[in-house]
Amino acid sequence: MAYDLLIKNGLIVDGSGMPSFRGDIAAKDGRIVEIGKLSGPAVQTIDAAGCAVAPGFIDNHCHYDAQVTWDPLCTFSPEHGATTVIFGNCSLSLAPVRRGSEERLAEFLSYVEAIPMEVLKTIEFDWETVPQYMDRLDKHLGINVGNLIGHSAVRFYAMGENCQKRAATADEIASMKGVVRNGIEAGALGLSVSREKGHFDPQGVQIPALWASEEEIFALGDVLRELGTGMIQAGGGRDAEMQNGLMARLAQATGRTVVYNSLSQTVRQPDKWKEHIARVDETARAGVRAYPMCSPNRITQNFTMKNCQVFRGLPTWHPILLMSDAEKLKAYSDPAIREKLHDEAVSRKVAINAVGFSRTWWDYMWVHSPVLPQNQWMQFKTIGQIAGAQGKRVIDAFLDLVVEEKLETGFLQAENNVDDAAMAQILTYPNAVIGLSDGGAHVQFHGGYGYITKLLGEWVREKGVMSLEQAVRRLTFDSASTFGLYDRGLLRPGLAADIVIFDPQTVKCGPETVVHDFPAGGWRIKEPAEGIIATIVNGEVLLDNGRHTGALPGRVLRNTHYRANH
């Protein structure tokens, strides 16, 4: 047989978790056709000696809903070996949308996922329905994409401005079910909902999905049960599962897999991850498919008080975060406002919905980049240490510096996934799905998609918490199975030729840089990858040593119901 692509002499890590082996892989017409010791002619041959050859990685929790419309590669996920990205998570998607309400819908995605609104305003919304959005994307893709139907978008589409005011009526729920059915029949991979109480719109009102009753959520999930396809993703599902078993009950009622955010270690609740594992063990023994997601990323963020996510949701602080820089400086200098901020953020005299910081956040927030010479002594000290040295209240030490340096001080917050021993247990826990890159979101705070190369570099090669074979399975077959991508995630004849070639001795996530490549002059953080030799999508080389070949072989990946009927 004449091949389109022949990869020779590689260490084949096939995604099953079984031992790797030396061999060749051949692809034709977008699919793997043979594996073994091959010698047939090929249009393109790659010598993978010294490298691992694995199924393309699946970046399973992204927010590229907008970016994909101008960036068909969804950079920078494929640089890390991802051949598929999945977006529409946490109830947030850009379809369906009614004419005239595009900007309002974009605001939900913008504010929750920290994507500058100036960038989103450049999008040409030439779709209304979920099927139209999917068809629009399918014409121009470098990477494969899978989309979820966002509950917030559906609720806004069906209820208008009432979506953030009240419960839905029976007729409105029926309308929402019709929208979900329309999207699932078009091939959407599933439905995304949210119980994340810290997700707000720019006005400080919780996003539409959070106004939904359990009855409404279960009604939408029932569409997937009826069609026998798709999965359900939930933002903020951990607390709901721990409080009343919502995730497990939703999985039981619909018969669909539910994945939710997240199994993680946090200084806010040091032993919560252990309690969470015990709960998932219980539901897994009962045969319930409700699985938390986890990430090898240490959840840190660099920021200035010009653009800060940490204090969102505080009654006094939230509106200040939306002000101009001049207004911010005036507010932070006002003793009366400082007193309110102290009561909300330090002494906790006021009940709050904010989830962006711990009770002692000042012990986990460092001055990373002081601006003025007289403040260089503060570098790498926590706000708590600085307050102690100055004999000031925490709020005053913090805001005195912010005002003195005119909002330019660089801060670093690190509260989650910072305990290596806990992380080793979380990442090897079999009932959790590794992912949560948030690719396309929080673009001026961190990258996230580098979780793939962090797992392979830091946690496999350096720390040895799992074998290479198990890590590859976690990044491929596990996600393919969870999200219903049954023709991907393994290197097997007949399956899609989504393949990554990497050097297991050098693969890692590099240091973050800033790039100015977004529309409207926007900038973002880039996490570069090292040791990724080639990213191959549907049998075509998309990236060769990180450089785009010009190929656009990606497709919109559709669910089993769609594929059975088309």
Coordinates of all heavy atoms in Angstrom, one line a residue, residues 418-479:
V418 N -0.5 23.6 45.0 CA 0.9 24.0 45.4 C 1.5 22.9 46.3 O 2.7 23.1 46.7 CB 0.9 25.4 46.1 CG1 0.5 26.4 45.1 CG2 0.0 25.4 47.3
D419 N 0.8 21.9 46.7 CA 1.3 20.8 47.6 C 1.6 19.6 46.7 O 0.8 18.9 46.2 CB 0.2 20.5 48.6 CG 0.7 19.4 49.6 OD1 1.5 18.5 49.3 OD2 0.1 19.4 50.7
D420 N 2.9 19.3 46.6 CA 3.3 18.3 45.7 C 2.8 16.9 46.1 O 2.5 16.1 45.2 CB 4.9 18.2 45.6 CG 5.4 19.3 44.6 OD1 4.6 20.1 44.1 OD2 6.6 19.3 44.4
A421 N 2.8 16.6 47.4 CA 2.4 15.3 47.8 C 0.9 15.1 47.5 O 0.5 14.0 47.1 CB 2.6 15.1 49.3
A422 N 0.1 16.1 47.7 CA -1.3 16.0 47.4 C -1.5 15.9 45.9 O -2.3 15.1 45.4 CB -2.0 17.3 47.9
M423 N -0.7 16.7 45.1 CA -0.9 16.6 43.7 C -0.5 15.3 43.1 O -1.2 14.8 42.2 CB 0.1 17.7 43.1 CG -0.5 19.1 43.2 SD -2.0 19.3 42.4 CE -1.5 19.1 40.7
A424 N 0.5 14.6 43.7 CA 0.8 13.3 43.2 C -0.3 12.3 43.4 O -0.6 11.5 42.5 CB 2.0 12.8 44.0
Q425 N -1.1 12.4 44.5 CA -2.2 11.5 44.7 C -3.4 11.9 43.8 O -4.1 11.1 43.2 CB -2.6 11.6 46.1 CG -1.6 11.0 47.1 CD -2.1 10.9 48.5 OE1 -3.2 10.2 48.8 NE2 -1.5 11.6 49.4
I426 N -3.6 13.2 43.6 CA -4.7 13.7 42.7 C -4.5 13.2 41.3 O -5.4 12.7 40.6 CB -4.8 15.2 42.8 CG1 -5.4 15.6 44.2 CG2 -5.7 15.8 41.7 CD1 -5.3 17.1 44.5
L427 N -3.3 13.4 40.8 CA -3.0 13.2 39.4 C -3.0 11.7 39.0 O -3.3 11.3 37.9 CB -1.6 13.7 39.0 CG -1.6 15.3 38.9 CD1 -0.1 15.7 38.7 CD2 -2.5 15.8 37.9
T428 N -2.8 10.8 40.0 CA -2.8 9.4 39.8 C -4.2 8.8 40.2 O -4.3 7.6 40.2 CB -1.7 8.7 40.6 OG1 -1.7 9.0 42.0 CG2 -0.3 9.1 40.0
Y429 N -5.1 9.6 40.6 CA -6.4 9.1 41.1 C -7.2 8.6 39.8 O -7.4 9.4 38.9 CB -7.2 10.2 41.8 CG -8.6 9.7 42.3 CD1 -8.7 8.6 43.0 CD2 -9.7 10.4 41.9 CE1 -10.0 8.2 43.5 CE2 -11.0 10.0 42.3 CZ -11.1 8.9 43.1 OH -12.3 8.5 43.5
P430 N -7.6 7.4 39.7 CA -8.1 6.8 38.4 C -9.5 7.4 38.1 O -9.9 7.3 36.9 CB -8.1 5.3 38.7 CG -8.2 5.2 40.2 CD -7.4 6.3 40.7
N431 N -10.2 7.9 39.1 CA -11.6 8.3 38.8 C -11.7 9.8 38.5 O -12.8 10.4 38.6 CB -12.5 8.0 40.0 CG -12.7 6.5 40.1 OD1 -12.7 5.7 39.1 ND2 -12.8 6.0 41.4
A432 N -10.6 10.4 38.2 CA -10.5 11.8 37.8 C -10.0 11.9 36.4 O -9.2 11.1 35.9 CB -9.7 12.7 38.7
V433 N -10.4 13.0 35.7 CA -10.0 13.2 34.3 C -9.0 14.3 34.2 O -9.4 15.4 34.7 CB -11.2 13.5 33.4 CG1 -10.8 13.7 31.9 CG2 -12.3 12.4 33.4
I434 N -7.8 14.1 33.7 CA -6.8 15.2 33.7 C -7.1 16.1 32.6 O -7.4 15.7 31.4 CB -5.4 14.6 33.6 CG1 -5.0 13.9 34.9 CG2 -4.4 15.7 33.2 CD1 -3.7 13.2 34.8
G435 N -7.0 17.4 32.8 CA -7.3 18.4 31.8 C -7.3 19.8 32.4 O -6.4 20.2 33.1
L436 N -8.4 20.5 32.1 CA -8.7 21.8 32.7 C -7.6 22.9 32.3 O -7.2 23.7 33.1 CB -8.7 21.7 34.3 CG -10.0 21.2 34.9 CD1 -9.8 21.2 36.4 CD2 -11.2 22.1 34.5
S437 N -7.3 22.9 31.0 CA -6.3 23.9 30.6 C -6.9 25.3 30.7 O -6.2 26.3 30.9 CB -5.8 23.7 29.2 OG -6.7 24.1 28.2
D438 N -8.2 25.5 30.4 CA -8.8 26.8 30.3 C -8.2 27.5 29.1 O -8.2 28.8 29.0 CB -8.7 27.6 31.5 CG -10.0 27.7 32.3 OD1 -11.0 27.1 31.9 OD2 -10.0 28.4 33.4
G439 N -7.7 26.8 28.1 CA -7.1 27.4 26.9 C -8.1 28.4 26.3 O -9.2 28.1 26.1
G440 N -7.5 29.6 26.0 CA -8.4 30.6 25.4 C -9.0 31.6 26.4 O -9.5 32.6 26.1
A441 N -8.8 31.2 27.7 CA -9.4 32.1 28.8 C -8.2 32.7 29.6 O -7.1 32.2 29.6 CB -10.3 31.2 29.7
H442 N -8.6 33.7 30.4 CA -7.6 34.3 31.4 C -6.3 34.6 30.6 O -5.2 34.4 31.1 CB -7.4 33.4 32.5 CG -8.6 32.8 33.2 ND1 -9.4 33.6 34.0 CD2 -9.2 31.6 33.1 CE1 -10.5 32.9 34.4 NE2 -10.4 31.7 33.8
V443 N -6.5 35.2 29.4 CA -5.4 35.2 28.5 C -4.3 36.2 28.9 O -3.1 36.1 28.5 CB -5.9 35.6 27.1 CG1 -6.7 34.5 26.5 CG2 -6.6 37.0 27.1
Q444 N -4.6 37.1 29.8 CA -3.6 38.1 30.3 C -3.1 37.7 31.7 O -2.4 38.5 32.3 CB -4.1 39.5 30.3 CG -4.4 40.0 28.8 CD -5.0 41.4 28.7 OE1 -5.4 42.0 29.8 NE2 -5.0 41.9 27.5
F445 N -3.4 36.5 32.1 CA -3.0 36.1 33.5 C -2.2 34.8 33.4 O -1.2 34.6 34.2 CB -4.3 35.8 34.4 CG -5.0 37.1 34.6 CD1 -6.1 37.4 33.8 CD2 -4.7 37.9 35.7 CE1 -6.8 38.6 34.0 CE2 -5.4 39.1 35.9 CZ -6.5 39.4 35.1
H446 N -2.5 33.8 32.6 CA -1.7 32.6 32.4 C -2.1 31.9 31.1 O -3.1 32.3 30.5 CB -1.9 31.7 33.6 CG -3.3 31.4 33.9 ND1 -4.1 30.5 33.2 CD2 -4.2 31.8 34.9 CE1 -5.3 30.4 33.7 NE2 -5.4 31.2 34.8
G447 N -1.4 30.9 30.8 CA -1.7 30.1 29.5 C -2.6 29.0 29.9 O -3.8 29.0 29.4
G448 N -2.1 28.0 30.6 CA -3.0 26.9 31.0 C -2.8 25.6 30.1 O -2.8 24.5 30.7
Y449 N -2.8 25.8 28.8 CA -2.7 24.7 27.9 C -1.4 23.9 28.0 O -1.3 22.8 27.6 CB -2.9 25.2 26.4 CG -2.2 26.5 26.2 CD1 -0.8 26.6 26.1 CD2 -3.0 27.7 26.2 CE1 -0.2 27.8 25.9 CE2 -2.4 28.9 26.0 CZ -1.0 29.0 25.9 OH -0.4 30.2 25.8
G450 N -0.4 24.5 28.7 CA 0.8 23.8 29.0 C 0.7 22.7 30.0 O 1.7 22.1 30.3
Y451 N -0.5 22.4 30.5 CA -0.7 21.3 31.4 C -0.2 20.0 30.8 O 0.3 19.1 31.5 CB -2.1 21.2 31.9 CG -3.0 20.5 30.9 CD1 -3.3 19.1 31.0 CD2 -3.7 21.1 29.8 CE1 -4.1 18.4 30.1 CE2 -4.5 20.5 28.9 CZ -4.7 19.1 29.1 OH -5.5 18.4 28.2
I452 N -0.3 19.9 29.5 CA 0.1 18.6 28.8 C 1.6 18.4 29.0 O 2.1 17.3 29.4 CB -0.3 18.7 27.3 CG1 -1.8 18.8 27.2 CG2 0.3 17.5 26.6 CD1 -2.2 19.1 25.7
T453 N 2.4 19.4 28.6 CA 3.8 19.2 28.7 C 4.3 19.3 30.1 O 5.4 18.8 30.4 CB 4.5 20.3 27.8 OG1 3.9 21.6 28.0 CG2 4.4 19.9 26.3
K454 N 3.6 20.0 31.0 CA 3.9 19.9 32.4 C 3.8 18.5 33.0 O 4.6 18.1 33.8 CB 3.1 20.9 33.2 CG 3.4 22.4 33.0 CD 2.4 23.3 33.7 CE 2.7 24.8 33.3 NZ 1.7 25.7 33.9
L455 N 2.7 17.9 32.6 CA 2.5 16.5 33.1 C 3.6 15.6 32.6 O 4.2 14.8 33.4 CB 1.1 15.9 32.6 CG 0.8 14.5 33.1 CD1 0.5 14.5 34.6 CD2 -0.4 13.9 32.3
L456 N 4.0 15.7 31.3 CA 5.0 14.8 30.7 C 6.4 15.2 31.2 O 7.2 14.3 31.4 CB 5.0 14.9 29.2 CG 3.7 14.4 28.5 CD1 3.7 14.8 27.1 CD2 3.5 12.9 28.8
G457 N 6.6 16.4 31.4 CA 8.0 16.9 31.9 C 8.2 16.8 33.4 O 9.0 16.0 33.9
E458 N 7.4 17.6 34.1 CA 7.5 17.7 35.5 C 7.1 16.4 36.3 O 7.8 15.8 37.1 CB 6.8 18.9 36.1 CG 6.9 19.0 37.6 CD 6.1 20.2 38.1 OE1 5.5 20.9 37.3 OE2 6.0 20.4 39.4
W459 N 5.9 15.9 36.0 CA 5.3 14.9 36.8 C 5.7 13.5 36.4 O 5.7 12.6 37.2 CB 3.8 15.1 36.8 CG 3.4 16.3 37.5 CD1 3.0 17.5 36.9 CD2 3.3 16.6 38.9 NE1 2.7 18.5 37.9 CE2 2.9 17.9 39.1 CE3 3.6 15.8 40.0 CZ2 2.8 18.5 40.4 CZ3 3.5 16.4 41.3 CH2 3.1 17.7 41.5
V460 N 6.0 13.3 35.1 CA 6.4 12.0 34.6 C 8.0 11.9 34.7 O 8.5 11.0 35.4 CB 5.9 11.7 33.2 CG1 6.5 10.4 32.7 CG2 4.4 11.6 33.2
R461 N 8.7 12.7 33.9 CA 10.1 12.6 33.8 C 10.8 13.0 35.1 O 11.7 12.2 35.6 CB 10.7 13.4 32.7 CG 12.2 13.2 32.5 CD 12.7 14.0 31.3 NE 12.6 15.4 31.5 CZ 11.8 16.2 30.8 NH1 11.0 15.7 29.8 NH2 11.7 17.5 31.0
E462 N 10.5 14.1 35.7 CA 11.2 14.6 36.8 C 10.7 14.0 38.2 O 11.6 13.6 39.0 CB 11.1 16.1 36.9 CG 11.7 16.9 35.7 CD 11.4 18.4 35.7 OE1 10.9 18.9 36.7 OE2 11.7 19.0 34.7
K463 N 9.5 13.9 38.4 CA 9.0 13.4 39.7 C 8.6 11.9 39.7 O 8.5 11.3 40.7 CB 7.8 14.3 40.1 CG 8.1 15.7 40.5 CD 6.9 16.5 41.1 CE 7.4 17.8 41.7 NZ 7.9 18.7 40.8
G464 N 8.4 11.4 38.5 CA 8.1 10.0 38.4 C 6.8 9.5 39.1 O 6.8 8.4 39.6
V465 N 5.8 10.3 39.1 CA 4.6 9.9 39.8 C 3.7 8.9 39.0 O 2.9 8.3 39.5 CB 3.7 11.2 40.2 CG1 4.5 12.1 41.0 CG2 3.1 11.8 38.9
M466 N 4.0 8.8 37.7 CA 3.3 7.8 36.8 C 4.2 7.5 35.7 O 5.1 8.3 35.3 CB 1.9 8.3 36.4 CG 1.9 9.5 35.4 SD 0.3 10.0 34.9 CE -0.2 11.0 36.3
S467 N 3.9 6.4 35.0 CA 4.7 6.0 33.8 C 4.3 6.9 32.6 O 3.3 7.5 32.6 CB 4.5 4.5 33.5 OG 3.2 4.3 33.0
L468 N 5.2 6.9 31.6 CA 4.9 7.6 30.4 C 3.6 7.0 29.8 O 2.8 7.8 29.3 CB 6.1 7.5 29.4 CG 5.9 8.1 28.1 CD1 5.7 9.6 28.2 CD2 7.1 7.8 27.2
E469 N 3.5 5.7 29.8 CA 2.3 5.1 29.2 C 1.0 5.5 29.9 O 0.0 5.8 29.2 CB 2.5 3.5 29.2 CG 3.5 3.0 28.3 CD 4.9 3.0 28.9 OE1 5.1 3.5 30.0 OE2 5.9 2.4 28.3
Q470 N 1.1 5.6 31.2 CA -0.1 6.0 31.9 C -0.4 7.5 31.7 O -1.6 7.8 31.5 CB 0.0 5.7 33.4 CG -0.1 4.2 33.8 CD -1.5 3.7 33.4 OE1 -2.5 4.3 33.6 NE2 -1.5 2.5 32.8
A471 N 0.6 8.3 31.6 CA 0.4 9.7 31.3 C -0.2 9.9 30.0 O -1.2 10.7 29.8 CB 1.7 10.5 31.5
V472 N 0.3 9.2 29.0 CA -0.3 9.4 27.6 C -1.8 8.9 27.6 O -2.6 9.6 27.0 CB 0.6 8.6 26.6 CG1 -0.2 8.5 25.3 CG2 1.9 9.3 26.4
R473 N -2.0 7.8 28.3 CA -3.4 7.4 28.3 C -4.3 8.4 29.0 O -5.4 8.7 28.5 CB -3.6 6.1 29.1 CG -5.0 5.6 29.3 CD -5.2 4.4 30.2 NE -6.6 4.2 30.5 CZ -7.3 3.1 30.3 NH1 -6.7 2.1 29.7 NH2 -8.5 3.0 30.7
R474 N -3.8 9.1 30.0 CA -4.6 10.1 30.7 C -4.9 11.3 29.8 O -5.9 12.0 29.9 CB -3.9 10.6 32.0 CG -3.6 9.5 33.0 CD -4.7 9.0 33.8 NE -4.8 9.8 35.0 CZ -5.9 10.0 35.7 NH1 -7.1 9.6 35.3 NH2 -5.9 10.7 36.8
L475 N -4.0 11.6 28.9 CA -4.1 12.7 28.0 C -4.8 12.4 26.7 O -5.1 13.3 25.9 CB -2.7 13.3 27.7 CG -1.9 13.8 28.8 CD1 -0.4 14.1 28.4 CD2 -2.5 15.1 29.3
T476 N -5.1 11.1 26.5 CA -5.7 10.7 25.2 C -7.0 9.9 25.3 O -8.1 10.4 25.3 CB -4.6 10.0 24.4 OG1 -4.2 8.8 25.1 CG2 -3.5 10.9 24.0
F477 N -6.8 8.6 25.6 CA -7.9 7.6 25.6 C -8.9 8.0 26.7 O -10.1 7.9 26.5 CB -7.4 6.2 25.9 CG -8.5 5.2 26.0 CD1 -9.1 4.8 24.8 CD2 -8.8 4.6 27.2 CE1 -10.2 3.8 24.9 CE2 -9.8 3.7 27.3 CZ -10.5 3.3 26.1
D478 N -8.5 8.4 27.9 CA -9.4 8.8 28.9 C -10.3 9.9 28.5 O -11.6 9.8 28.7 CB -8.7 9.2 30.2 CG -8.1 8.0 30.9 OD1 -8.1 6.9 30.4 OD2 -7.5 8.2 32.0
S479 N -9.8 10.9 27.9 CA -10.6 12.1 27.5 C -11.5 11.7 26.3 O -12.6 12.1 26.2 CB -9.8 13.3 27.1 OG -9.4 13.9 28.3

